[in-house]
Amino acid sequence: MGKVTGFLELKRLKEASQAPEVRIKHWSEFVDRLSDDEASKQGARCMDCGIPFCNNGCPVNNIIPDWNDLVYRQQWREALDVLHSTNNFPEFTGRICPAPCEAACTLNINNDPVGIKSIEHAIIDKGWEEGWVVPQPPAQRTGKKVAVVGSGPAGLAAAQQLARAGHEVTVFEKQDRIGGLLRYGIPDFKMEKHLIDQRVVQMQAEGVTFCPSTYIGSPDDPSANGLNVKTPADLDAEFDAIVLSGGCEVPRDLPVPGRELEGVMYAMDFLRPQNKVVAGDKISGQVLAKDKHVVVIGGGDTGSDCVGTSNRHGAASVTQIELMPKPPEHENKEMTWPYWPAKLRTSSSHEEGADRDWAITTKHIEGSKGKVTKIKAARVQWERDETTGQFKMKEVPGSEFDIKADLVLLAMGFVSPVADVLKSFGVDVDGRGNARANTEDYRTSVDKVFAAGDMRRGQSLVVWAIREGRQCARAVDEFLMGVTELPR
């Protein structure tokens, strides 16, 4: 694919971005997509490797070599069609996916993979600019009605596929805007929200109805406060099938002394209001990091988002700590390729300024007059248990130290979907509190109720949510019609 000798002649090219000192002054995206010529040269590097490991490395199984070749030949419209054949929302994944496809690229054996994510970004942005992304309403309607609970990437993907199959689809979302964790969980500097809005307009033209500010569950649930409420019985009476596709929203807590102090909060309670402010909302009592010493506990993407947001607020300092040991800077390719490797990753937010430390445990949080002032931390070692083979954490004697803190953000991941929703439907859950359903038919223990995305698999990537939404839509279509032409 691409140019036969392209991988020998052309080097990998990164997308241009604004300097950190410039971009921390605003909330907009700061990465420029490749020009047509740059993308063509990047596509030319896709080698005729025989087995395209990138396809399997990608959760939605994007047909990457094909659209690489088409971009190389400047056949952009055809490249967009190939990209959309497996991915409903490449403008999301082309911005925020960690690109496991690039880790699986054959050229990555020498640390020089094709810039697959940058090509995807270029294809879909050009598609929108040229007016090629248009509604695809079905030729005929089936008369079947489907409710989708949750408007994140899984719910949106399922809804679009089902609408294009001819079903009448209604998407319910408890937040005031559509998008789920895409909307309020990802800062605008990583993905601007007009990208969601333009897809909503497209899907409305395809026949999807959106109902924001609507809680599905019991009126007595705490999350139902102030919202329109529909019960599972309401949906059961009105719809022929129901898809549960809410996000994994219950955060992992830190049960240490001092957790109750003012200034110690969950990451999402810090990030969500800022997204609302960027959207034009007036938020009273928003917690800002300006002039504060911020400590982010947790080394994942949510922690990174807290770093970038704190820097844009004007924090005095930002420190990010992680319980696990520091990953290696370079993986052992002979042991890991083509799989996703554990290695040190530096995000754009880290580039903007943060002190990072690993193998750190928080022993307790101290404060004055009810407000946090510092964290009492200690270093740990991870040692393999000779009996079980599992790694266990052991505190290093005499390693205690203090970290000054005016704001502590807990970003240690999410443990489960909202339990009240699943309980109200009466579906069986697994050991982690997720809806129990397999990846063959996505059916729960309750008749005509399906589950996909974080609601079924737990905290995961946007690209996995899109995959599950598409596959669940196929299962629902087959359930309703007996046969289906939707792809998995």
Side-chain angles (χ1 to χ4, degrees), residues 40-239:
S40 176
K41 290 179 179 178
Q42 192 63 216
R45 298 184 62 245
C46 186
M47 62 190 300
D48 190 5
C49 58
I51 299 176
F53 293 94
C54 56
N55 287 40
N56 288 333
C58 173
V60 293
N61 300 123
N62 276 331
I63 312 171
I64 294 164
D66 289 39
W67 43 258
N68 279 346
D69 182 62
L70 289 166
V71 168
Y72 161 59
R73 302 179 190 283
Q74 295 288 288
Q75 295 175 300
W76 289 91
R77 185 68 180 267
E78 293 82 358
L80 179 66
D81 291 341
V82 174
L83 178 55
H84 266 148
S85 70
T86 56
N87 186 352
N88 294 69
F89 313 118
E91 62 270 39
F92 304 161
T93 52
R95 285 167 166 81
I96 59 176
C97 181
C101 54
E102 294 188 14
C105 175
T106 301
L107 284 179
N108 191 44
I109 293 173
N110 68 347
N111 289 312
D112 199 23
V114 174
I116 299 169
K117 180 178 174 180
S118 65
I119 298 174
E120 179 180 34
H121 183 185
I123 294 171
I124 185 58
D125 278 19
K126 187 175 182 68
W128 281 107
E129 290 169 6
E130 297 292 337
W132 297 334
V133 184
V134 296
Q136 299 177 35
Q140 58 185 17
R141 299 289 179 179
T142 65
K144 301 292 186 179
K145 301 175 67 176
V146 183
V148 176
V149 181
S151 68
L156 291 178
Q160 186 167 64
Q161 293 294 95
L162 287 165
R164 290 176 175 179
H167 306 305
E168 183 181 337
V169 182
T170 303
V171 178
F172 297 97
E173 169 59 53
K174 68 179 179 180
Q175 298 292 341
D176 58 346
R177 294 181 178 91
I178 297 301
L181 291 175
L182 277 174
R183 172 75 65 176
Y184 291 132
I186 296 172
D188 285 68
F189 57 80
K190 288 175 66 175
M191 193 190 84
E192 294 177 7
K193 302 310 180 283
H194 70 87
L195 299 166
I196 303 173
D197 297 335
Q198 64 190 14
R199 282 295 181 182
V200 169
V201 171
Q202 179 198 34
M203 292 172 65
Q204 287 174 326
E206 294 171 346
V208 178
T209 300
F210 292 95
C211 297
S213 301
T214 304
Y215 178 75
I216 306 301
S218 168
D220 299 327
D221 293 346
S223 299
N225 185 32
L227 299 175
N228 299 319
V229 177
K230 278 187 172 290
T231 67
D234 294 332
L235 298 192
D236 182 69
E238 184 177 353
F239 295 93

